[in-house]
Amino acid sequence: MNKIFLISILLIEIITASAKGIKIQELSGFPSQEDGISYGVSACFAGIIGNRLIMAGGCNFPNKPAAEGGTKRYYKGIYACTIKKSHHLDWKLIGFLPEEAAYGISITTKDGIICIGGKNNRHSLTSVFVVHLVNDKAVITTLPSLPYPIDNSTGCKSSKNIFIYGAGQICKMNLSQIDKGWTIFDKFERQRYQPISGILDGKMTIWGGFLPKSQNDTARLCLDGFTFGGKITKRTIPVDERKESIALSGSASVQYGWNKIFAIGGVCKDIFLIEFNHPNSTYLRHPIAWYRFNPHILLFDRNKWKILGTSKLTARAGASLAIKRRDIYVIGGEVKPGIRTASVLKIIY
């Protein structure tokens, strides 16, 4: 495929999304200071401090694809790049996580980026810490640990509290009373993995995710959502142009102002369950298009989901989002199971 054709495809993608008020820019540059990370990662920590875009950790299969039995590698580097009008990102290694990690939760505050939980090849994590930027170097401050390990889950922040979903229950920490640690609410459902979340009227709201296969049940996608408050309030998930449910599992979300949540990517509900309920040695060997990752760019606003646009560029799972005013950065993710991308997008809405 020649370079002119690739540029034409990208321009078509940008024009298509812009028609509905969305502009997408594919930026160049990805960290390379750790061996293997330049292939791209999924599930990294990410956020913005001042005018710096930050990413840390993540995982990939750098030496051999997952389809060929490759081993997943986790990373611990913390990287920063200055946000400029240029389409190139110049990443600098500014420090290291306490240990290599991916599949954790990132929450940006005025003081830094809070990194919560995650996992690596050894164990799931209970660690909670803040990444600060001091003299262009990462400085880590430890916060109270989680009451139990959490990975492949979700969290969000209201004006005063951090909310974390894990093990089928909610944990909360008041940012003005950090010394009191985490408040644990009663378990109310079977653990769902890889959901998304946001804050509606000060309350944690969760959509999507999946339930893994168990002795008594097949694997299932969670085609619903709920708000956690004095009672559980049901929420609907988005539907596409054919009125088919969009499974918000493996998607990425970020708070976009008061009672608004922006989301992209995730798996296809019809394809995803094939592997979980009927494992097949050929599952990882199909072309990218076969997996039909979600191409819809979504916004939850005024109590409903709407599609802002569609793009093959955002059809990825396990990406990480960071937001600065109207600009949303999409870092990495996988374009098919086991295959990461080193692509970083800037979405302007």
Side-chain angles (χ1 to χ4, degrees), residues 45 98-105 114-120 122-130 142-151 164 171 173 182:
F45 297 108
E99 60 182 303
E100 62 274 19
Y103 303 108
I105 297 165
I114 302 177
C115 301
I116 303 168
K119 65 176 294 187
N120 53 39
R122 298 185 302 278
H123 56 180
S124 293
L125 305 173
T126 61
S127 56
V128 182
F129 53 86
V130 187
T142 301
L143 296 181
S145 295
L146 294 166
Y148 45 80
I150 290 177
D151 62 77
I164 301 300
C171 294
M173 183 167 67
W182 296 89

Side-chain angles (χ1 to χ4, degrees), residues 17 20 22 24 196 207-208 236-241 244-256 259-267 293-301 304-311 314-316 321 323 328 330 347 349:
K20 294 188 178 182
I22 289 284
I24 302 175
I196 63 169
W207 290 271
T236 59
I237 62 170
V239 296
D240 62 19
E241 298 85 351
E244 289 281 336
S245 297
I246 298 173
L248 295 173
S249 178
S251 307
S253 65
V254 68
Q255 195 79 26
Y256 191 82
N259 283 353
K260 296 181 182 181
I261 291 89
F262 185 97
I264 59 102
V267 301
F293 280 3
N294 171 37
H296 297 94
I297 302 166
L298 303 162
L299 184 71
F300 186 86
D301 183 20
K304 64 179 181 180
W305 285 101
K306 59 182 179 179
I307 296 175
L308 301 178
T310 60
S311 173
T314 61
R316 53 182 80 178
L321 301 188
I323 183 169
I328 298 163
V330 183
I347 302 177
Y349 173 61

Side-chain angles (χ1 to χ4, degrees), residues 52-66:
R52 302 291 184 89
L53 179 61
I54 309 292
M55 64 171 285
C59 60
N60 63 11
F61 294 85
N63 297 322
K64 185 186 293 185

Side-chain angles (χ1 to χ4, degrees), residues 320-333:
S320 299
L321 301 188
I323 183 169
K324 185 178 177 65
R325 298 188 183 92
R326 295 176 57 219
D327 299 343
I328 298 163
Y329 293 85
V330 183
I331 301 175

Side-chain angles (χ1 to χ4, degrees), residues 10 14 18 27 36 38 51 58 64 68 71 90 100 126 133 140 143 160 172 187 209 212 220 257 282 286 290 345:
L10 178 57
I14 291 173
S18 296
L27 309 178
S38 61
N51 69 334
K64 185 186 293 185
E68 298 174 14
T71 299
D90 186 17
E100 62 274 19
T126 61
L133 197 57
I140 290 176
L143 296 181
K160 296 180 180 180
K172 180 183 77 171
K187 184 171 183 176
R220 290 186 289 117
T282 65
H286 297 285
W290 184 86
L345 306 176

Side-chain angles (χ1 to χ4, degrees), residues 76-118:
K76 63 186 298 186
I78 304 172
Y79 299 88
C81 64
T82 302
I83 295 172
K84 300 178 180 178
K85 292 184 178 180
S86 167
H87 286 196
H88 180 74
L89 301 175
D90 186 17
W91 294 96
K92 306 292 186 185
L93 179 65
I94 61 169
F96 293 94
L97 299 172
E99 60 182 303
E100 62 274 19
Y103 303 108
I105 297 165
S106 311
I107 296 178
T108 298
T109 71
K110 62 179 181 176
D111 298 319
I113 300 167
I114 302 177
C115 301
I116 303 168

